[in-house]
């Protein structure tokens, strides 16, 4: 008798506890009962084109978090002047490695920061997308306006010492990895409701 193919999720029972919903994260909506301990958003805030767009994303987070819950977000590095951040990035990590194969290009200034393109020739294919890097204070003010009033902390790229060796695992060169110490590639924004 042949075993029926099972996914990892089925084997561990995760499939019964996880639900996927497709929705616009810039439209505030309570999911289920709301009251989540944590909301995690990787590379989402960088799609907000301005302060009001950010407020809407943060509102969506706020209405779904319980009091004292945390929003953890991976996004662009915190910067008072996003064009400086983008230029530092391009200088520190030029082609062909870029930042994990990604290269950033300024397209135009917007009121709260810059609109930029990301292109990459990765081992699994080419990619291109466009998004926004807004000023640090705009993220902070928008979060407050949306009701995320607790502690607010920014972290940045952190490369573990164990990766700063020629024979370290992963595809990045030592030269690329060392640049992240002075020029971060991303920010980690953690805000408590
Ligand atoms: C760079 S990808 C990151 C995907 C994933 N979080 C990760 O870290 O691998 C950003 C994704 O956010 C999606 N996105 C942008 N704005 C959104 C919105 N308002 N609502 C839902 N998804 C959005 C984009 O379509 C894209 O798939």
């Amino acid at each position: 008798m042949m075993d029926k193919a099972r996914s990892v999720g089925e084997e561990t029972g995760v499939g019964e506890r996880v639900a996927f919903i497709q929705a616009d994260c810039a439209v505030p909506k309570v999911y289920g009962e709301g009251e989540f301990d944590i909301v995690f958003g990787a590379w989402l805030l960088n799609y907000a084109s301005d302060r009001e767009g950010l407020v809407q994303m943060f509102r969506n987070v706020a209405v779904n978090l319980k009091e004292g819950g945390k929003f953890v977000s991976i996004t662009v590095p915190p910067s008072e002047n996003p064009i400086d951040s983008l230029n530092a990035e391009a200088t520190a990590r030029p082609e062909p490695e870029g930042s994990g194969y990604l290269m950033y290009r300024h397209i135009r200034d917007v009121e709260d920061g810059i609109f930029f393109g990301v292109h990459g020739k990765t081992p699994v294919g080419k990619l291109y997308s466009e998004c926004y890097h807004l000023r640090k204070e705009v993220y902070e003010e928008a979060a407050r306006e949306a009701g995320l009033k607790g502690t607010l902390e920014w972290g940045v790229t952190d490369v573990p010492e164990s990766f700063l060796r020629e024979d370290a695992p992963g595809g990045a060169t030592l030269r690329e990895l060392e640049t992240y110490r002075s020029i971060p590639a991303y920010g980690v924004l953690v805000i408590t409701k």
Side-chain angles (χ1 to χ4, degrees):
M1 196 170 97
M2 279 174 58
D3 277 350
K4 188 168 160 262
R6 286 162 61 127
S7 72
V8 174
E10 272 182 288
E11 281 165 16
T12 58
V14 165
E16 287 145 38
R17 306 197 303 273
V18 175
F20 289 94
I21 299 168
Q22 188 174 351
D24 184 349
C25 296
V27 176
K29 176 176 186 303
V30 177
Y31 291 95
E33 307 282 309
E35 303 275 300
F36 287 88
D37 298 308
I38 290 182
V39 172
F40 178 65
W43 299 112
L44 172 71
L45 298 176
N46 49 301
Y47 289 89
S49 60
D50 57 15
R51 183 197 167 94
E52 186 47 34
L54 273 179
V55 171
Q56 290 295 92
M57 284 188 182
F58 282 126
R59 273 205 186 109
N60 193 29
V61 172
V63 295
N64 284 286
L65 273 181
K66 68 180 189 189
E67 287 303 317
K70 285 190 191 299
F71 176 45
V72 179
S73 178
I74 311 294
T75 190
V76 290
S79 172
E80 317 272 319
N81 197 359
I83 188 63
D84 289 350
S85 173
L86 183 136
N87 287 338
E89 164 77 46
T91 306
R93 293 181 283 277
E95 292 197 53
E97 296 143 308
S99 265
Y101 301 105
L102 301 180
M103 296 296 306
Y104 302 154
R105 188 175 54 87
H106 174 259
I107 298 174
R108 64 173 183 271
D109 292 337
V110 294
E111 190 176 338
D112 296 323
I114 58 170
F115 180 53
F116 68 102
V118 185
H119 70 92
K121 281 186 208 151
T122 78
V124 292
K126 288 186 184 175
L127 64 83
Y128 181 73
S129 69
E130 294 175 343
C131 54
Y132 298 85
H133 189 160
L134 308 183
R135 288 189 310 280
K136 175 175 177 274
E137 89 236 18
V138 181
Y139 295 94
E140 295 170 358
E141 288 164 12
R144 296 317 195 198
E145 188 176 329
L148 298 172
K149 308 269 189 193
T151 55
L152 186 157
E153 290 170 283
W154 285 96
V156 292
T157 315
D158 184 19
V159 181
E161 284 298 324
S162 60
F163 276 73
L164 293 166
R165 296 192 325 244
E166 285 293 351
D167 61 345
T173 62
L174 189 55
R175 197 205 68 78
E176 179 189 339
L177 290 170
E178 276 172 347
T179 64
Y180 294 114
R181 292 178 141 176
S182 50
I183 311 288
Y186 57 82
V188 184
L189 178 58
V190 182
I191 316 175
T192 307
K193 179 174 170 183

